[in-house]
Amino acid sequence: MAQLVFLHEGKAIPYAVSPGDTVIGRHPDCDIQLQSNTISRRHAKVTGDSSQFFVEDLGSGNGTFVNGQQIAERTAIKNQDRIKFGPLLLRFECEGAKSAPTPGVPAPAPSSAPDRFDDFGSTIEFSADSEDEATIMGNAGSGGGFGMLEVAPEQKLRAVIEITRALTGETDMNAMLPKILDTLFDVFPQADRSCILLKDPDKGGEMIPRAYKHRRGDEDATVKLSRTILKKVLTDKSGILSADAANDSQFDASESISNLAIRSMMCVPMLDKSGEPIGVINIDTQNPLSQFGPEDLEILMTVAGQASLTYENARLMKSWLEKQKQDGEMQIAMNVQRALLPQSFPQQDGYSFYASYDSAQAVGGDYYDAFRLTDDLICLSFGDVAGKGVPGALIMSRIASCVQTITPFIHDPAESIVKINEHMCANMVEGRFVTYILIVLDVKNHKMRMVNAGHMSPFIRKPDGSVEEFDEEQTGLPVGVMEGYPYEVTERDINPGEMFVLFTDGVDEAMNPASELYTLERMRDFVKNGSDNAETMGKELLADVRRHANGRPQNDDITIMTFSRDA
């Protein structure tokens, strides 16, 4: 089934096209009657069957157009072709319609007027800047238009609804711009050329042509823009209407304007939600009988406002979708990082272990691990990467893999730390290092051997409640700073009832809303007066840090590890 679809008052009105001849015109006897004084009594006819259709102008006053080209002979049409009878646009629909021309009748040359170009160099032409400030003073006047192709204002207002419908739900900004121009050409049938320029933040806010359209393929398709007019539109955030740019008194002194062959033009800004220009829409005609009028400028401003709103919404939607994708990827990264942490601690009679990990972002640079080397040896690994977020998490995963690869085969922490440091120094990013503690517990002889690579000393809570710390002279350089650094191993007995508290600087540097730090002093007092149970101490210490922060988001990763020998 073939039909012509007419968009009228926001509705699509289909007209059936029967096999044979279908006459279109204003006369009641026509097969398809179009009520408009711009349509001839017998304007055109469509001829054909289910597989081949042609349109032919019947000597109309305002002409018949197929896909923007006026026809003078019987012309083949195909599904989705746009046919204009005067200013009225209809769409031809017939899935099986072919477009082969009638023998002896040449087919119309394909239009060289695309809706948009990837290369705007030969399509958008800017005039030189005018040095005379008088060219941007005052208002650009306009004479009243009387063009015979003038569309009634109410029809243009309906087209604003059409552009809203055309753009609703569209999130592809590149696909949206040609739709805006298509609607403008329907609203302003006298328009010859139109283009949209948008601000490019990567080029200092420079206006870059993003889409253009022109009606006739056999004429100069170059859209000519004046930098003087463009600058005024962006500065005043208002539209400019010029009945004839060459004679407009506003631009008398501007040679850049007088050289342009523009009879009538409109240039309006596209404003974002804060009222700042994000682009401009320019539309012009070279038909002296179809000048734009003040009501045209008002309608164009309205259309530009709606287009700007939809474009901004699409941009925000795109940003939101990208953020959702990033959040999803960060969630996966968080799950992967959590999987690098131990799911459980070694079970050892007479000993208790506990650890908590809270990153400031989805992923972080803190790290801990605990696993059994032999029946009598347990490895505890604890570190803080310089930096947080994704960079810290990448280095954290690297050292975690390194420790798991080296320590099961080298039980001596003096040898293990050398291998770990060598591996981390290789290809280490400048400024990225790890403060690190490696402990090997001998649970049979109740001894520990520890290497401290630039990290804060663990707190040791004794049975009497006093707190001890290791000597600072036993602390070496962070891992990943200097290859071949001679780390010192500290050996110590683990007495009954002693508890060790390891922590990252996110604990003592936690801040409250008044920017006051938690401090090491407060932490020492808490450990001194706190529980002698490792798990209880870890949980209560974290809770005390949270109380101090009083709702302020943490600005660094917070990791706590505790272990103790039963009394």
Side-chain angles (χ1 to χ4, degrees):
M1 176 183 176
Q3 61 182 6
L4 287 168
V5 180
F6 178 40
L7 297 178
H8 180 65
E9 295 184 354
K11 299 179 181 180
I13 304 175
Y15 295 100
V17 176
S18 304
D21 292 344
T22 301
V23 179
I24 299 99
R26 192 175 74 249
H27 196 277
D29 292 340
C30 292
D31 300 296
I32 297 178
Q33 184 184 13
L34 299 177
Q35 296 287 355
S36 174
N37 56 9
T38 61
I39 302 298
S40 299
R41 293 166 62 84
R42 290 172 56 86
H43 196 103
K45 70 176 179 179
V46 175
T47 306
D49 53 30
S50 60
S51 61
Q52 183 66 66
F53 288 88
F54 303 87
V55 63
E56 180 181 355
D57 188 78
L58 299 179
S60 65
N62 292 331
T64 302
F65 302 80
V66 176
N67 297 326
Q69 284 192 310
Q70 186 169 3
I71 62 172
E73 299 176 314
R74 186 169 179 258
T75 302
I77 54 177
K78 62 182 184 300
N79 184 44
Q80 298 300 315
D81 275 350
R82 296 188 301 170
I83 305 175
K84 236 177 185 180
F85 304 106
L88 303 186
L89 177 66
L90 291 85
R91 184 175 64 246
F92 179 67
E93 294 182 352
C94 183
E95 293 294 340
K98 300 177 182 178
S99 58
T102 304
V105 179
S111 172
S112 61
D115 286 344
R116 53 178 172 166
F117 253 49
D118 292 329
D119 179 13
F120 287 98
S122 60
T123 307
I124 307 293
E125 176 182 310
F126 286 97
S127 65
D129 283 322
S130 172
E131 297 296 329
D132 192 336
E133 293 297 327
T135 61
I136 59 172
M137 298 298 292
N139 295 323
S142 172
F146 59 91
M148 60 182 176
L149 298 181
E150 183 74 5
V151 178
E154 60 271 17
Q155 290 177 297
K156 295 178 183 178
L157 289 174
R158 295 189 194 102
V160 174
I161 300 176
E162 287 302 316
I163 196 172
T164 304
R165 292 180 176 176
L167 301 181
T168 297
E170 182 64 70
T171 58
D172 184 349
M173 292 182 286
N174 290 326
M176 181 183 299
L177 300 180
K179 288 185 177 181
I180 295 174
L181 297 182
D182 285 340
T183 306
L184 288 178
F185 269 49
D186 292 338
V187 174
F188 304 105
Q190 71 271 48
D192 291 319
R193 301 169 301 192
S194 184
C195 67
I196 296 177
L197 291 79
L198 296 177
K199 272 188 177 180
D200 189 341
D202 296 332
K203 296 185 178 181
E206 180 183 354
M207 285 291 170
I208 304 298
R210 294 289 301 275
Y212 89 98
K213 185 180 181 68
H214 62 92
R215 194 178 299 278
R216 301 176 180 85
D218 57 348
E219 294 183 359
D220 180 15
T222 304
V223 179
K224 300 179 181 179
L225 298 176
S226 163
R227 294 191 185 275
T228 302
I229 294 178
L230 182 61
K231 186 183 299 183
K232 182 170 179 61
V233 168
L234 295 175
T235 301
D236 296 348
K237 303 176 186 178
S238 61
I240 284 182
L241 167 65
S242 179
D244 193 320
N247 297 321
D248 195 328
S249 59
Q250 164 131 6
F251 307 110
D252 281 344
S254 176
E255 182 180 356
S256 65
I257 299 297
S258 60
N259 286 338
L260 302 180
I262 299 176
R263 285 291 184 181
S264 183
M265 58 80 66
M266 296 185 292
C267 188
V268 300
M270 296 175 65
L271 304 178
D272 61 16
K273 292 178 174 63
S274 62
E276 292 301 316
I278 59 173
V280 296
I281 298 177
N282 188 88
I283 187 169
D284 68 61
T285 178
Q286 292 181 305
N287 189 337
L289 299 179
S290 303
Q291 294 183 349
F292 296 122
E295 72 280 0
D296 297 310
L297 184 62
E298 293 175 5
I299 295 300
L300 183 58
M301 287 288 290
T302 304
V303 171
Q306 182 60 45
S308 303
L309 178 63
T310 308
Y311 185 84
E312 274 285 273
N313 288 340
R315 186 182 64 81
L316 294 174
M317 175 62 74
K318 182 180 179 181
S319 298
W320 182 81
L321 292 174
E322 291 175 352
K323 179 65 165 56
Q324 291 293 102
K325 181 180 178 181
Q326 292 174 357
D327 289 347
E329 292 173 349
M330 291 302 295
Q331 182 66 39
I332 295 174
M334 183 179 70
N335 294 337
V336 171
Q337 186 181 44
R338 296 286 179 177
L340 296 176
L341 301 176
Q343 303 303 309
S344 61
F345 288 92
Q347 298 298 312
Q348 178 64 43
D349 293 339
Y351 283 83
S352 299
F353 301 90
Y354 172 80
S356 66
Y357 174 82
D358 293 272
S359 59
Q361 302 176 16
V363 292
D366 283 4
Y367 155 73
Y368 73 88
D369 204 349
F371 51 92
R372 191 177 292 278
L373 299 176
T374 66
D375 290 343
D376 298 331
L377 298 180
I378 294 176
C379 178
L380 301 178
S381 183
F382 191 86
D384 183 0
V385 177
K388 51 184 177 291
V390 174
L394 292 174
I395 297 176
M396 174 269 193
S397 64
R398 184 179 177 189
I399 192 171
S401 173
C402 181
V403 171
Q404 286 282 355
T405 302
I406 293 173
T407 54
F409 303 99
I410 304 177
H411 298 166
D412 184 356
E415 296 182 33
S416 297
I417 192 65
V418 172
K419 296 295 183 182
I420 293 171
N421 184 50
E422 287 179 354
H423 180 84
M424 296 302 294
C425 283
N427 302 320
M428 176 60 81
V429 178
E430 184 178 354
R432 299 289 180 178
F433 53 85
V434 185
T435 62
Y436 179 67
I437 292 178
L438 177 63
I439 298 175
V440 175
L441 296 180
D442 183 345
V443 295
K444 179 180 179 180
N445 299 309
H446 308 296
K447 295 180 179 293
M448 64 175 284
R449 303 185 70 203
M450 181 186 78
V451 175
N452 189 333
H455 201 79
M456 293 171 291
S457 170
F459 288 168
I460 307 169
R461 185 183 187 279
K462 295 186 175 183
D464 61 1
S466 61
V467 175
E468 178 186 319
E469 298 177 44
F470 289 95
D471 192 339
E472 290 184 358
E473 293 182 358
Q474 298 170 337
T475 301
L477 289 179
V479 168
V481 174
M482 179 187 295
E483 189 173 358
Y485 182 84
Y487 290 98
E488 182 179 347
V489 178
T490 301
E491 297 187 8
R492 187 186 188 282
D493 291 334
I494 304 176
N495 300 312
E498 287 187 333
M499 178 171 56
F500 294 75
V501 180
L502 288 75
F503 56 96
T504 59
D505 56 8
V507 177
D508 61 289
E509 295 179 359
M511 289 190 291
N512 61 15
S515 297
E516 298 170 338
L517 297 176
Y518 185 74
T519 72
L520 288 173
E521 290 75 12
R522 177 168 175 170
M523 184 176 173
R524 287 190 189 97
D525 290 341
F526 187 89
V527 173
K528 179 180 179 180
N529 300 312
S531 172
D532 58 359
N533 178 272
E535 181 175 355
T536 303
M537 169 61 74
K539 291 182 178 179
E540 290 182 349
L541 175 60
L542 179 60
D544 192 56
V545 173
R546 297 293 188 207
R547 280 193 298 271
H548 171 78
N550 194 24
R552 176 168 177 163
Q554 65 188 77
N555 60 348
D556 200 357
D557 305 328
I558 296 176
T559 304
I560 299 171
M561 174 186 279
T562 58
F563 67 94
S564 63
R565 180 184 173 187
D566 296 343

